[in-house]
Amino acid sequence: MSLNCQITNNIARITMDDGKANVMTTEWINIFTKTLDEACASGAKVLLLSGRPKFFSGGLDVKAVTAMDAAGLKKHLAHFARAVFKLQLLPMPTVGLITGHAVAGGFILSSACDFRIGLDGPYKYQLTELALGIALPEWLPIIFEPSLPKPAFESIALSARTLSPQEMKDNGFLLSLDRELSELTARGDMLAAQLAELSTTAYADSKMMMRGARVKQAIAGLE
């Protein structure tokens, strides 16, 4: 997957675009983690994470994941989890521009953003683990604690059903929906500009207060 990061006006804009479904490989996870570090080191005050038109991300490489043995799968999922938790605790506001389908790991990645705005249309949000015969990892509920009420998360996770952008907005996962990509981009820029006015230190401390203990406990469990 191609990852591009541009920093302008104190806003780090990370765009995922491989020309296909934005599938996340081991190499992608490594690059994404480094890109988050670069965004922090740049002094950016807000991070915008977006996908390509029609696809935010289709998640981890299904063929690779289903071919792994139990030990390999556990190790791979832990590697992915560390990257997602890094995003969830990033010491600045993070905004996900959900530009289309957000499936499996893509859905999980979008949940790790502090705020999410979506593109309306024939797009699906889904946690596919049970449909693939993979038990839900212990750390997964922690990723969704800030973004979905527990009953909604459990219903979605345990059924592996697909939801529309409107259903995700109704569940509170998305702040808003736009019909056009240009409108979504403009709304993201406006939200990022507002968030950039906040105290970075106060924001980081507050995020750590709300999430830090649970996330650190989950990361310790990955060892």
Side-chain angles (χ1 to χ4, degrees):
M1 180 192 295
S2 175
L3 270 175
N4 178 265
C5 182
Q6 295 182 340
I7 300 170
T8 56
N9 300 322
N10 292 320
I11 299 173
R13 305 168 192 274
I14 298 178
T15 304
M16 307 179 289
D17 188 353
D18 66 354
K20 300 177 182 179
N22 281 348
V23 170
M24 296 180 283
T25 63
T26 299
E27 180 183 8
W28 180 90
I29 296 171
N30 294 336
I31 295 173
F32 180 70
T33 300
K34 292 179 181 178
T35 303
L36 293 181
D37 288 334
E38 291 170 2
C40 290
S42 74
K45 299 192 67 175
V46 180
L47 184 141
L48 277 174
L49 176 63
S50 63
R52 63 185 303 271
K54 298 184 179 181
F55 269 97
F56 179 73
S57 173
L60 299 174
D61 186 339
V62 174
K63 289 184 179 180
V65 166
T66 53
M68 294 176 182
D69 60 20
L73 178 59
K74 182 178 181 180
K75 181 178 180 180
H76 186 61
L77 291 179
H79 186 43
F80 174 60
R82 290 187 185 93
V84 176
F85 280 129
K86 188 179 190 69
L87 174 62
Q88 192 168 43
L89 282 188
L90 207 70
M92 68 178 77
T94 58
V95 180
L97 274 61
I98 317 304
T99 52
H101 300 294
V103 178
F107 191 3
I108 295 169
L109 186 68
S110 67
S111 180
C113 295
D114 299 337
F115 307 94
R116 292 155 299 278
I117 55 179
L119 189 64
D120 203 3
Y123 307 120
K124 64 181 181 180
Y125 293 70
Q126 184 184 21
L127 290 173
T128 59
E129 284 79 1
L130 292 184
L132 296 173
I134 299 173
L136 299 172
E138 293 181 4
W139 49 265
L140 186 60
I142 297 173
I143 295 291
F144 282 87
E145 282 178 357
S147 63
L148 280 173
K150 185 178 179 181
F153 164 71
E154 291 189 353
S155 175
I156 293 168
L158 293 175
S159 66
R161 63 191 176 96
T162 62
L163 289 92
S164 68
Q166 184 61 55
E167 288 175 309
M168 296 312 300
K169 183 176 182 295
D170 293 342
N171 276 318
F173 187 81
L174 297 174
L175 290 178
S176 60
L177 285 173
D178 289 293
R179 291 292 304 179
E180 301 294 335
L181 184 59
S182 59
E183 296 172 352
L184 177 68
T185 301
R187 190 185 298 273
D189 288 345
M190 185 181 301
L191 177 56
Q194 293 171 350
L195 292 168
E197 296 297 319
L198 300 175
S199 163
T200 302
T201 300
Y203 192 95
D205 289 346
S206 297
K207 183 189 286 192
M208 184 62 69
M209 178 274 294
M210 291 188 288
R211 305 176 184 171
R214 291 278 287 155
V215 170
K216 290 178 179 179
Q217 181 182 26
I219 293 174
L222 297 174
E223 302 300 335

